[in-house]
């Protein structure tokens, strides 16, 4: 499958926007299954800004968004452990950024650079149901992607597009506990201790370059679009999933 995304770019005038959202825990009705008084609030803010560096030639556009949420997961063990039930705090925060730079090299050539970045952190990942706090993990994720694009209008019938891409992703899931994992009733009533997947780590880099040549040909009364090109991609991925560490 493929995913196509359209993003904004700067113009000859400076334009921007900003927004904010806050949801207070006091403005909600507690869920029927909740037992405690854990906070359930959300704060979200962001902005966009775009404009010229050199009018009619070089423009910029940036946007950023930050989300911070105090969430809740329900720990509900079964069997002889029902008295241990509690509502567990499950907060997360996320930062997202996008920046672009567009430069008109000439009447026939343009250069575009786009950078996307995301940072995400969550506490008590994998907690809930019959899994207690000790069985959970933290989740840290950082990703970025850089895309460079050169477009050349050779003449009325020919166009060339060159794309260069680089990116990096990293995720880290340290455990909440180092105690031996214990499953009661084969894990159906209570799961406690170190999560059996252990401290998961992942790291990856990818680079790619592609070029597409477009040629529009008139044959008689019909028009034909011919495309040809090539692409090279290099990917390096490393994952560590230490099953049953304790």
């Amino acid at each position: 499958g493929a995913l196509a995304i359209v993003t904004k770019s700067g113009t000859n005038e400076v334009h921007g926007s900003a927004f904010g959202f806050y949801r207070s825990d006091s403005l909600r009705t507690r869920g029927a299954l909740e037992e405690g008084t854990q906070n359930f609030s959300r704060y979200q803010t962001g902005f966009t800004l775009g404009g010229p560096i050199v009018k009619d030639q070089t423009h910029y556009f940036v946007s950023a968004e930050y989300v911070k949420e105090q969430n809740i997961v329900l720990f509900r063990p079964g069997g002889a452990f029902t008295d241990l039930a509690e509502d567990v705090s499950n907060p997360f925060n996320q930062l997202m950024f996008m920046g672009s730079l567009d430069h008109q090299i000439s009447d026939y050539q343009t250069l575009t650079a786009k950078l996307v970045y995301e940072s995400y952190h969550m506490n008590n990942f994998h907690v809930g149901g019959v899994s207690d706090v000790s069985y959970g993990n933290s989740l840290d994720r950082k990703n970025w992607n850089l895309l460079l694009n050169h477009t050349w209008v050779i003449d009325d019938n020919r166009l060339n597009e060159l794309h260069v891409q680089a990116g990096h992703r990293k995720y880290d899931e340290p455990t909440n506990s180092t105690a031996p994992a214990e499953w009661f009733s084969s894990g159906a009533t209570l799961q406690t201790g170190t999560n059996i997947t252990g401290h998961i780590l992942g790291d990856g880099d990818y680079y790619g370059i592609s070029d597409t040549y477009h040629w529009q040909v008139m044959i008689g009364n019909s028009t034909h679009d011919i495309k040809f090109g090539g692409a090279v991609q290099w990917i390096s991925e490393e994952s560590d999933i230490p099953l049953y560490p304790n």
Side-chain angles (χ1 to χ4, degrees):
L3 176 65
I5 299 175
V6 178
T7 57
K8 291 183 178 181
S9 60
T11 64
N12 276 335
E13 296 182 358
V14 176
H15 291 283
S17 64
F19 70 91
F21 170 82
Y22 176 69
R23 180 191 66 205
S24 172
D25 180 70
S26 63
L27 298 178
R28 76 179 183 100
T29 300
R30 300 198 178 279
L33 299 178
E34 292 181 45
E35 293 186 351
T37 58
Q38 293 289 349
N39 188 13
F40 187 72
S41 60
R42 180 182 177 93
Y43 174 77
Q44 186 173 355
T45 186
F47 76 92
T48 65
L49 182 65
I53 298 175
V54 179
K55 284 191 174 183
D56 298 321
Q57 187 174 29
T58 308
H59 303 88
Y60 70 91
F61 181 83
V62 294
S63 68
E65 182 175 350
Y66 178 74
V67 181
K68 183 176 182 179
E69 182 170 295
Q70 299 292 332
N71 214 329
I72 303 168
V73 291
L74 306 181
F75 169 52
R76 299 293 184 264
F81 307 101
T82 55
D83 290 344
L84 300 177
E86 63 175 333
D87 298 346
V88 180
S89 177
N90 177 224
F92 79 85
N93 60 75
Q94 182 180 33
L95 173 65
M96 295 166 284
F97 171 84
M98 192 281 289
S100 69
L101 189 66
D102 300 280
H103 179 64
Q104 189 81 25
I105 301 173
S106 67
D107 291 341
Y108 306 102
Q109 297 186 62
T110 59
L111 182 65
T112 302
K114 294 184 183 294
L115 175 67
V116 178
Y117 172 82
E118 184 222 21
S119 174
Y120 183 91
H121 174 79
M122 174 184 282
N123 288 334
N124 292 326
F125 186 48
H126 293 143
V127 175
V130 299
S131 303
D132 71 2
V133 173
S134 68
Y135 199 73
N137 302 67
S138 295
L139 171 61
D140 289 290
R141 183 178 69 219
K142 291 185 178 181
N143 306 293
W144 63 264
N145 180 267
L146 175 65
L147 176 65
L148 303 177
N149 179 56
H150 176 261
T151 303
W152 179 22
V153 180
I154 302 171
D155 55 35
D156 291 342
N157 299 313
R158 293 181 297 163
L159 172 73
N160 191 80
E161 290 183 300
L162 174 66
H163 300 277
V164 179
Q165 187 173 18
H168 177 77
R169 71 182 190 94
K170 182 176 182 179
Y171 59 89
D172 184 12
E173 297 180 20
T175 59
N176 287 354
S177 170
T178 58
E182 294 184 272
W183 282 24
F184 295 87
S185 304
S186 299
T189 57
L190 175 64
Q191 298 175 7
T192 186
T194 304
N195 193 297
I196 62 171
T197 60
H199 184 167
I200 299 175
L201 293 168
D203 198 276
D205 296 288
Y206 57 93
Y207 304 93
I209 182 170
S210 64
D211 189 84
T212 305
Y213 183 83
H214 306 257
W215 185 20
Q216 189 176 78
V217 180
M218 294 289 296
I219 301 179
N221 295 322
S222 61
T223 302
H224 302 270
D225 292 319
I226 301 173
K227 297 180 183 180
F228 58 90
V232 177
Q233 189 174 51
W234 180 83
I235 299 175
S236 175
E237 288 277 355
E238 182 178 0
S239 294
D240 182 17
I241 307 176
L243 293 175
Y244 302 100
N246 295 324

